[in-house]
């Protein structure tokens, strides 16, 4: 089975939205990009819609997405899971949380994916797919932002712990949460962590004998 899907432009835009990128350094064009987030390696301006982009760059040529867009089969989607949903496409992340652990305990939270951020294909996937997911935003009010990357076999991997939305509205690194695409992986990590906590709590085995 192929690991790539050729998605009609209309479907992709409906699910993920688009943003318009100004190619200001020699391109003089407005390029439609999948997703509503400016990609990391784009250094020009980005506009939320074509009307705004044309108003800002009236002389630029317009470059639309192709009629069909090549995406990895394992492309997360910002849509709730249904009884008909398969298990291949991620629709949520499972987050092991251990902040304020003495007060709140160890938890595993399910966070629905709310937004998908796309980048152009990396060097090892150029010619195979048009875009890859670079990050997903999940949870209520976009609580978590998780960086991801694809390997040469188009497997999707979480590359570091999630960033957490701060009270100031920006994402900050956190060493107190871990994210997984599979519930069983999150459960296994939570069990491993819990065993470590039990062992760490056995203070008597590592302490000098105390008088009764």
């Amino acid at each position: 089975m192929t690991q790539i899907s050729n998605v009609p432009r209309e479907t992709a835009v409906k699910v993920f939205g688009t943003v318009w990128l100004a190619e200001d350094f020699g391109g003089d064009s407005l390029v439609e990009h999948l997703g509503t987030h400016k990609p990391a390696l784009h250094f020009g301006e980005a506009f939320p819609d074509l009307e705004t982009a044309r108003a800002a760059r009236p002389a630029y040529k317009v470059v639309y997405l192709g009629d069909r867009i090549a995406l990895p089969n394992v492309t997360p989607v910002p849509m709730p899971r249904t009884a008909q949903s398969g298990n291949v496409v991620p629709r949520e992340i499972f987050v092991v949380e251990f902040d304020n652990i003495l007060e709140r305990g160890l938890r595993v939270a399910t966070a629905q994916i709310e937004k998908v951020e796309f980048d152009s294909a990396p060097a090892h996937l150029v010619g195979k797919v048009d875009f890859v997911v670079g990050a997903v935003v999940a949870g209520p009010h976009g609580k978590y932002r998780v960086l991801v990357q694809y390997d040469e076999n188009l497997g999707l991997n979480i590359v570091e712990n999630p960033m957490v939305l701060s009270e100031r509205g920006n994402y900050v690194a956190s060493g107190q949460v871990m994210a997984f695409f599979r519930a069983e992986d999150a459960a296994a990590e939570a069990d491993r962590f819990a065993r470590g906590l039990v062992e760490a709590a056995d203070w008597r085995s590592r302490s000098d004998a105390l008088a009764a």
Side-chain angles (χ1 to χ4, degrees), residues 8-23:
R9 176 189 179 277
E10 182 180 348
T11 301
V13 171
K14 182 179 179 180
V15 173
F16 300 112
T18 62
V19 65
W20 289 87
L21 308 178
E23 297 291 348

Side-chain angles (χ1 to χ4, degrees), residues 150-173:
Y150 290 85
D151 59 30
E152 293 183 355
N153 297 317
L154 291 171
L156 183 62
N157 304 291
I158 293 174
V159 297
E160 61 182 41
N161 290 342
M163 291 176 282
V164 180
L165 189 64
S166 72
E167 294 181 354
R168 295 183 178 181
N170 62 314
Y171 287 98
V172 296

Side-chain angles (χ1 to χ4, degrees), residues 117-141:
E117 300 177 6
F118 287 90
D119 287 323
S120 299
H124 65 282
L125 294 177
V126 168
K128 296 181 179 179
V129 295
D130 297 315
F131 299 98
V132 295
V133 178
V136 298
V137 174
H141 310 294

Side-chain angles (χ1 to χ4, degrees), residues 74-139:
V74 187
T75 295
V77 294
M79 300 172 64
R81 187 170 297 281
T82 66
Q84 291 73 38
S85 301
N87 294 323
V88 173
V89 176
R91 294 171 182 258
E92 61 276 302
I93 59 172
F94 302 92
V95 185
V96 180
E97 302 175 324
F98 45 95
D99 55 303
N100 296 331
I101 195 165
L102 291 179
E103 179 180 340
R104 302 182 62 196
L106 181 65
R107 297 95 61 200
V108 177
T110 302
Q112 182 180 318
I113 293 172
E114 301 292 338
K115 186 170 69 171
V116 179
E117 300 177 6
F118 287 90
D119 287 323
S120 299
H124 65 282
L125 294 177
V126 168
K128 296 181 179 179
V129 295
D130 297 315
F131 299 98
V132 295
V133 178
V136 298
V137 174

